[in-house]
Amino acid sequence: MGLLTLVAMALVTVVVVPSLRNKIKDTFVSSERNVIAKVSGSLTAQGPRITVLKIKSKGGLSLEVYSVDDVNEMHLLSRLPLFETRDGYFLLQGNATNLALTDVDKDGSLEIVAPTYDEQMVPRLNIFKYNPDTKSFDRVSAPDDFEP
């Protein structure tokens, strides 16, 4: 009974003291995020201006899309999961890149292109198109005639 009391007191101490709580949390849960790519631009001539970050974390790869207003303040628009854990590259106009804004479907608006590799090292080209009606991004497939 005394041992259980000591364990309970130790746990209460860890919960109450913020520095101890943070050390224990960091030991078990890694919140490490690495920005591995960044691209900025305007999706159309009328906007919106965005900044896209490709993030590698313990859980895998994802994209964070921020809108940039007139005073250069950034507001999170969307988090887009990539569902793979390995970063990829592709050639766009002769340059190797792992994140790009380019007009994939030739409609005058730019799409977000983020290459990855799946578990069997098969390359995947993740393409996201901005939907102005819902103000969100939809995953799309590349057209048959697409060449980066």
Side-chain angles (χ1 to χ4, degrees):
M1 196 65 158
L3 180 63
L4 288 176
T5 304
L6 289 175
V7 169
M9 288 177 18
L11 289 175
V12 168
T13 303
V14 167
V15 170
V16 172
V17 179
S19 62
L20 290 175
R21 181 177 55 225
N22 289 336
K23 286 180 183 178
I24 298 296
K25 182 180 174 186
D26 290 342
T27 302
F28 292 107
V29 179
S30 173
S31 62
E32 184 175 319
R33 295 171 12 117
N34 293 321
V35 176
I36 55 177
K38 176 185 173 183
V39 66
S40 298
S42 186
L43 295 178
T44 64
Q46 296 79 25
R49 283 184 10 200
I50 63 167
T51 295
V52 183
L53 302 177
K54 193 173 192 181
I55 308 288
K56 184 174 182 89
S57 63
K58 186 177 181 181
L61 294 171
S62 64
L63 299 176
E64 291 183 0
V65 183
Y66 294 89
S67 65
V68 181
D69 60 17
D70 294 332
V71 292
N72 286 333
E73 288 187 14
M74 294 174 50
H75 306 282
L76 182 65
L77 277 181
S78 183
R79 280 194 177 96
L80 307 169
L82 294 178
F83 303 116
E84 282 92 16
T85 57
R86 294 180 180 93
D87 190 22
Y89 293 86
F90 73 108
L91 287 177
L92 179 66
Q93 300 173 352
N95 296 316
T97 185
N98 62 348
L99 181 63
L101 289 175
T102 187
D103 190 3
V104 173
D105 55 6
K106 309 291 188 235
D107 67 348
S109 65
L110 301 179
E111 288 82 30
I112 301 169
V113 181
T116 57
Y117 288 100
D118 69 5
E119 306 286 321
Q120 286 77 36
M121 296 302 289
V122 176
R124 304 278 184 221
L125 198 58
N126 302 281
I127 303 171
F128 297 94
K129 184 171 185 67
Y130 181 68
N131 185 341
D133 297 331
T134 61
K135 295 187 176 174
S136 64
F137 290 86
D138 300 324
R139 188 180 291 268
V140 297
S141 299
D144 294 332
D145 61 345
F146 175 67
E147 287 193 29

